[in-house]
Amino acid sequence: MTAPQAQADQLATLYYAHDPMCSWCWAFNPTWQQIQQRLPKSINIVRLVGGLAPDSHVPMPQEMQQFLQQTWQRIQATVPGTEFNFDFWSRCNPRRSTYPACRAVIAARQQQSEQESAMTLAIQQAYYLDARNPSDDATLIELASEIGLDVERFKGDLNADQTQQALLDEINRCREMGAQGFPSLILETQQRRQLLPLDYVDPQMALQHIAKLLP
């Protein structure tokens, strides 16, 4: 690698815009892990939570519940190996509210940066495999304990004003960067900022575009 190339790589950032309760993000997760493993180590990775749905204590309408169950079924047919536990819809009281889960990711990051991904995965597994509701603070606090966070600090941070403001800032940043739904990958270099095409089962599509965009 030449010196100019190394310098350019160091100034490249890959943004991952997602929501921990986004079912398509759950389906993309295995491919996202492969992309991260194959990236040049000099590329900086920044994860942004996009906040699909604001805080709400209103039960999810049946029409929305049916739509989301159909989305799960479509994902299973589209992305081989993606699992969903449909018991969620009978065991839990669904609400269209993903901000709490997004704040949980930020609160985990505030304790330890590496716990950000751990919390995201814990939320996804709780929601999609274990039929637990990440819209509930109680569930999120349980997950914080399970991944080894300082639970008392997490409780204080989860709904703190600064955590909510950090979420709103990240939502706005996702919009400003041109994220079109979740998940979205945006590569930023000295020359440009580019939204990358995604293949949910093949990391090569994103990796090839990244290679082309690097100077």
Side-chain angles (χ1 to χ4, degrees):
M1 180 181 294
T2 64
Q5 176 69 60
Q7 184 178 13
D9 285 354
Q10 289 169 358
L11 295 176
T13 299
L14 181 63
Y15 293 91
Y16 177 55
H18 72 290
D19 188 297
M21 292 183 68
C22 162
S23 50
W24 285 103
C25 295
W26 169 238
F28 185 63
N29 186 58
T31 298
W32 169 231
Q33 297 305 318
Q34 293 181 63
I35 290 171
Q36 293 177 88
Q37 292 167 5
R38 300 183 192 181
L39 281 174
K41 294 187 183 299
S42 52
I43 292 183
N44 186 37
I45 297 174
V46 174
R47 299 167 183 84
L48 300 172
V49 285
L52 275 172
D55 294 287
S56 174
H57 296 289
V58 177
M60 188 183 295
Q62 284 297 321
E63 295 81 3
M64 176 63 74
Q65 293 191 39
Q66 292 171 1
F67 171 78
L68 290 177
Q69 290 179 66
Q70 292 169 358
T71 299
W72 289 12
Q73 292 167 347
R74 185 165 71 254
I75 290 172
Q76 284 183 321
T78 305
V79 187
T82 308
E83 297 183 20
F84 294 98
N85 184 346
F86 286 83
D87 289 344
F88 171 84
W89 302 101
S90 58
R91 290 184 188 174
C92 298
N93 296 312
R95 306 194 314 279
R96 185 64 173 159
S97 181
T98 73
Y99 277 25
C102 291
R103 285 195 298 270
V105 172
I106 293 172
R109 181 201 302 155
Q110 288 170 345
Q111 287 199 32
Q112 293 178 307
S113 59
E114 61 270 20
Q115 291 285 35
E116 176 181 11
S117 296
M119 177 57 80
T120 298
L121 181 60
I123 290 169
Q124 291 173 328
Q125 291 177 336
Y127 184 22
Y128 297 116
L129 301 182
D130 301 334
R132 299 160 69 186
N133 194 348
S135 295
D136 296 337
D137 285 0
T139 299
L140 298 169
I141 292 168
E142 290 172 359
L143 296 177
S145 176
E146 290 169 12
I147 67 172
L149 292 176
D150 180 331
V151 174
E152 291 306 313
R153 178 180 171 185
F154 180 85
K155 287 180 181 179
D157 290 343
L158 180 58
N159 293 303
D161 290 343
Q162 61 265 30
T163 308
Q164 174 66 6
Q165 187 58 55
L167 170 58
L168 297 178
D169 290 344
E170 291 193 27
I171 291 171
N172 289 332
R173 195 172 183 190
C174 287
R175 292 171 181 166
E176 291 170 357
M177 297 189 73
Q180 298 177 354
F182 306 115
S184 285
L185 285 176
I186 301 119
L187 184 71
E188 184 176 63
T189 66
Q190 287 179 299
Q191 286 73 29
R192 69 175 82 177
R193 181 185 292 164
Q194 180 71 47
L195 182 69
L196 303 178
L198 301 182
D199 186 316
Y200 280 78
V201 296
D202 185 3
Q204 280 303 114
M205 176 176 286
L207 290 167
Q208 289 172 357
H209 276 80
I210 290 170
K212 292 177 182 177
L213 292 168
L214 292 176

